[in-house]
């Protein structure tokens, strides 16, 4: 089955620790995205990548980092510099950046 | 500011009632427009889209028409079901065509 997978579904970390969220797609999509969702604020773009080995900051990139070494994978690291990391994180992909985005099931990160 | 504005929720309806969720946008030109739906604890699913003015997107009984005169893309359904209870997001492509800009979401609750 083609799709986007995110793991884990729930993640707990202590304050001050870096944590990496996984996102994998087997849709052969070039573009991939990371969003953060907070109650009442909709989705906000963290980073996006139009092609392998390239990525761009979104609206709220501070405290986050990404890599795009393979077409299928776009991991997001939430660093200790992110002041309020507890949120629901959504990964998406599309054939190109102007097309429909398809979303993974999300990872809920809680920092204790 | 956010260039996609949705009516605030929650919207509470009885089964078989008519649904309208308003969405307006600001943009230069005519970007593609989208409605996504998010069921509890899940990622977003594309519900429908329209890529040019006067297009009508439709899916699962939902419809939305791209109105350039009023810069609107209101979501409608003639008869809602309990299973339609979810959060609905309106979105448009950004000007560079590199990502989507989302509204804040509208929660729909349908009771039997």
């Amino acid at each position: 089955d083609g799709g986007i997978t995110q793991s884990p579904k729930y993640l707990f970390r202590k304050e001050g620790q870096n944590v990496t969220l996984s996102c994998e797609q087997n849709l052969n999509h070039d573009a991939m995205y990371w969003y953060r969702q907070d109650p009442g604020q909709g989705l906000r773009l963290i980073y996006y990548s139009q092609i392998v080995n390239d990525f761009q900051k979104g609206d709220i990139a501070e405290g986050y980092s990404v890599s795009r070494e393979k077409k299928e994978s776009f991991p997001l690291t939430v660093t200790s510099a992110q002041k309020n990391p507890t949120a629901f994180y959504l990964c998406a992909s599309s054939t190109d950046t102007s097309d429909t985005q398809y979303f993974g099931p999300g990872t809920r990160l809680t920092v204790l | 500011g956010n260039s996609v504005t949705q009516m605030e929720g929650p919207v509470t309806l009885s089964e078989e009632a008519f649904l309208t969720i308003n969405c307006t946008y600001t943009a230069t030109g005519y970007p593609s427009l989208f409605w996504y739906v998010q069921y509890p604890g899940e990622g977003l699913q594309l519900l429908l889209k329209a890529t040019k003015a006067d297009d009508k997107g439709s899916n699962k009984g939902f419809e939305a028409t791209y109105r350039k005169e009023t810069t609107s893309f209101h979501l409608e359904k003639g008869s809602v079901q309990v299973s339609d209870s979810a959060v609905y997001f309106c979105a448009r492509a950004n000007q560079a065509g590199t990502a989507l800009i989302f509204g804040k979401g509208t929660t729909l609750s349908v009771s039997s």
Side-chain angles (χ1 to χ4, degrees):
Chain A
D1 288 339
I4 304 174
T5 57
Q6 291 184 243
S7 60
K9 190 170 178 65
Y10 299 96
L11 188 55
F12 297 88
R13 279 294 181 269
K14 291 182 179 179
E15 195 171 343
Q17 288 182 332
N18 291 356
V19 60
T20 298
L21 281 59
S22 166
C23 178
E24 304 279 331
Q25 55 97 0
N26 61 3
L27 300 168
N28 200 32
H29 286 169
D30 284 317
M32 296 187 74
Y33 313 80
W34 274 105
Y35 293 90
R36 171 183 171 135
Q37 184 177 22
D38 296 282
Q41 294 202 46
L43 276 69
R44 292 182 290 169
L45 183 65
I46 304 172
Y47 269 97
Y48 67 96
S49 169
Q50 295 176 277
I51 200 165
V52 175
N53 292 322
D54 178 71
F55 49 83
Q56 305 294 328
K57 291 181 180 179
D59 300 320
I60 54 163
E62 185 175 353
Y64 300 98
S65 66
V66 294
S67 62
R68 187 86 189 275
E69 297 176 0
K70 298 186 298 181
K71 188 175 186 177
E72 305 80 25
S73 179
F74 191 42
L76 173 75
T77 297
V78 184
T79 75
S80 56
Q82 168 49 234
K83 292 182 176 135
N84 185 19
T86 294
F88 190 48
Y89 290 87
L90 288 161
C91 179
S93 70
S94 63
T95 52
D96 61 53
T97 51
S98 63
D99 202 357
T100 302
Q101 294 183 18
Y102 296 90
F103 284 80
T107 292
R108 186 166 298 281
L109 172 65
T110 302
V111 175
L112 305 171
Chain B
N2 195 332
S3 59
V4 177
T5 303
Q6 295 180 232
M7 61 186 289
E8 287 191 20
V11 174
T12 303
L13 295 173
S14 297
E15 207 164 21
E16 298 183 3
F18 185 86
L19 169 71
T20 299
I21 300 178
N22 290 340
C23 172
T24 58
Y25 65 93
T26 56
T28 303
Y30 305 107
S32 294
L33 302 174
F34 305 82
W35 276 102
Y36 282 85
V37 59
Q38 183 179 35
Y39 298 101
E42 298 183 9
L44 275 67
Q45 301 175 24
L46 177 69
L47 185 56
L48 52 84
K49 71 176 186 180
T51 58
K52 60 183 188 293
D54 299 324
D55 267 2
K56 178 186 281 188
S58 61
N59 185 28
K60 300 181 182 178
F62 291 89
E63 293 183 341
T65 301
Y66 194 142
R67 304 276 189 204
K68 64 179 182 182
E69 302 85 3
T70 54
T71 61
S72 65
F73 193 53
H74 304 323
L75 182 68
E76 296 181 335
K77 186 174 185 182
S79 176
V80 294
Q81 305 301 313
V82 173
S83 57
D84 293 326
S85 298
V87 182
Y88 292 81
F89 290 92
C90 184
R92 73 159 179 85
N94 69 2
Q95 189 167 347
T98 53
L100 297 182
I101 299 171
F102 286 85
K104 292 187 177 183
T106 302
T107 299
L108 170 65
S109 179
V110 180
S111 57
S112 57

